[in-house]
Structures are given as structure tokens and as C-alpha cells.
Amino acid sequence: MRHPSTDVWPGDPHEVWRRAADTTAGTPFPAPPPWRDLDDFVRTVTVPRTYLGAAGLVALGGLWLGGVAVAALVQLDRHPMPDDTPWYFQAAAGPLVGLMPWSGYVALAVAVGAVGWSILHVRRGRARRDDTVRGVHARAVATGYVVHSGSSSLRVDTDEGTAPTRLLVDARLPEAAAARLRAATRAWLAALQGDAAATAAARARFGSRDAVPLAEIFGADAAGGWLARGPVDTARWHLVVPDGDAGAEDALDPFTLYALRHPRPAEASAAPDPTALAARDVAPPHPFG
């Protein structure tokens, strides 16, 4: 478990937190969608189909390799080594040219195997969908909790450049405490935007972590809020499932976010069959962890 740093973040966050003490609670947010019951979980929580990514990449690679192999075999068949090729070139290149058709056949076999593996991988993933969803549901019920997800102007460093962050606020907080967290965070982020050096320092302090607790930035009274890398999915509510110690909520690293949405009217009125979850595949969110 990571303990909050005692170092002060840039932008004078403690003063910002003090000024936000008089923040009054505004209009309460609507209640998050239900998710603890398995039937509700299937309708409202977006669980990733992780098997599709690997299968898609392998299938694309197989198709590309197969195309190259077929093109090479056709080219060799149409343009064999001419009879008037110098003897020294035939002696040097002849064995290689003779092996090329076999190499093409081997590459074609590998391509067919890659596509076949992808199809079987997807079939196995769909067959295990029931167990996957039930496993996520069990972990969520044991250690998960709901957060309200809002936009943030802070971008953090990645290998490819920068990535957005989002403000996560524990839905279990009293509305007054949640309002102060949001107000203080907005004011602090606004101060960073006008100071390039402070923004760079905040990015450096964020580092490679997936999330930073606001208690590390503002102090212990700001427990229950985080700045998290991503997610790409901009759903208002997310279900947080810590991947580490069940009691280390404020560390929130590593963890997985699952988008949480109110079901459509047609879905809400339907009674899902928990034994047929594989037929209820939903699109994947951006996982963390």
C-alpha cells in the first residue's frame, strides 16, 4: 500500500483546500445505477471482452502473412530463374531460390494456423464469459465501490506524449464533502493551468501511477477522491474494483474501472437470465491495472 506523500504539491493546494471549506452542496447527483445484484450487474456494468484484442491482432497478422506468402509463391511461379543466368549466380543463389517456395508454403501454413487460433480463442472466450462476469461481480461485491467520474484539465505523461485524467469522487461521501472535493480540485487545476512550471511539477509528481489520492494533494481531510489516468470512457459513474489489498482503497493502485450506466428502458423491463451471460456481451471499457 502506498502512503500519501508528505511533500507539498505545486499550486499551493493546502491553501486552496482551506478556501474551499465554505463550499455548499449543490443539487445532489442522481443515484448511481444498481449493480450489487447479478441481474442488475449484467445490465448496468460494462465488463471487458479482453479475449477479442489478442484474437484480432493474431488474426490480422495471420492474414497479412498469408497474403505475403501467396504473392511470393505466385511471383516465383511466373518468374523462375532464367536459363541464361550466369553460373556463378546460379551456384550462389540457386539453393536459396529452391528453398523459397517451401518457405512460402511454411508461411502460408503459419498464417492459416494463426487465423484458426484466433477463431478458437474467441470461441473459448465466449464460452467462459459466464465465469468471467460472475468473477468480476464477486470481486466487485467484496471490495468494489462506485465513484462519480468527472473531467479534469490535468494531463499526465505517457510514453507516447500525454494522457487525460479524470476526477473520481467516492459516491459514499456526504454531499457536502464531495462538493468541497470538487470545488477544491477545480480551483487547484485552474491555478495549474496558468503556471507552466507548476503543471510540469504536478505531472512529475503524478509520475507513472494510475491514480493519485486527493488526500496526498490536499491533506487527509480530502480522502475519498482521486485524480486517475483516463479512463477513455466518459460515463458519469464507474465501478472501482481494487486489484490489491481490499483495505487499501485510498491507494487505488492497481485497480480496474468498469463503466456503470443506467440500463435502457427495454433492458430494464427485461428479466435477464444469469445462466446465459455469454449472449449478453458488452463492449469493453479502458481497463487499468
Side-chain angles (χ1 to χ4, degrees):
M1 174 180 177
R2 299 184 181 184
H3 297 282
S5 171
T6 56
D7 297 333
V8 177
W9 280 63
D12 200 4
H14 294 298
E15 176 61 20
V16 171
W17 180 254
R18 186 188 64 79
R19 292 177 180 176
D22 296 332
T23 302
T24 57
T27 303
F29 284 97
W35 59 273
R36 288 191 172 274
D37 182 78
L38 181 58
D39 290 355
D40 292 330
F41 189 87
V42 173
R43 289 195 299 264
T44 62
V45 178
T46 305
V47 178
R49 294 174 291 176
T50 54
Y51 55 87
L52 292 181
L57 288 176
V58 173
L60 286 175
L63 291 173
W64 177 84
L65 181 61
V68 172
V70 170
L73 290 172
V74 170
Q75 187 71 8
L76 286 172
D77 184 62
R78 290 180 178 177
H79 301 283
M81 185 179 294
D83 294 335
D84 59 351
T85 301
W87 66 268
Y88 52 84
F89 186 84
Q90 293 187 35
L96 295 177
V97 173
L99 289 174
M100 287 180 69
W102 292 105
S103 300
Y105 293 134
V106 170
L108 189 59
V110 172
V112 172
V115 174
W117 178 89
S118 299
I119 295 173
L120 291 176
H121 187 66
V122 170
R123 291 176 65 89
R124 285 196 298 265
R126 290 182 63 86
R128 297 169 182 168
R129 178 72 176 168
D130 293 13
D131 293 337
T132 300
V133 173
R134 285 193 175 87
V136 173
H137 175 255
R139 288 175 50 223
V141 170
T143 63
Y145 50 95
V146 175
V147 294
H148 179 269
S149 176
S151 61
S152 162
S153 60
L154 179 65
R155 299 185 65 86
V156 292
D157 295 325
T158 67
D159 293 337
E160 295 78 23
T162 62
T165 59
R166 291 188 68 79
L167 171 62
L168 307 180
V169 178
D170 195 330
R172 298 170 297 186
L173 286 178
E175 187 56 38
R180 184 181 184 185
L181 274 177
R182 296 188 186 97
T185 304
R186 285 195 297 267
W188 179 66
L189 291 174
L192 290 184
Q193 282 188 304
D195 189 333
T199 299
R203 286 179 178 174
R205 290 294 307 277
F206 199 108
S208 61
R209 289 180 287 179
D210 285 334
V212 169
L214 294 184
E216 178 180 325
I217 299 173
F218 298 117
D221 290 343
W226 303 266
L227 280 176
R229 189 184 300 268
V232 174
D233 193 309
T234 57
R236 173 180 292 182
W237 300 102
H238 280 83
L239 178 62
V240 176
V241 181
D243 296 332
D245 298 333
E249 289 184 1
D250 213 39
L252 202 70
D253 192 3
F255 67 103
T256 304
L257 288 180
Y258 298 93
L260 187 62
R261 291 185 172 89
H262 286 283
R264 301 183 185 92
E267 293 178 345
S269 61
D273 181 3
T275 65
L277 299 182
R280 299 292 303 274
D281 280 355
V282 287
H286 181 77
F288 289 79

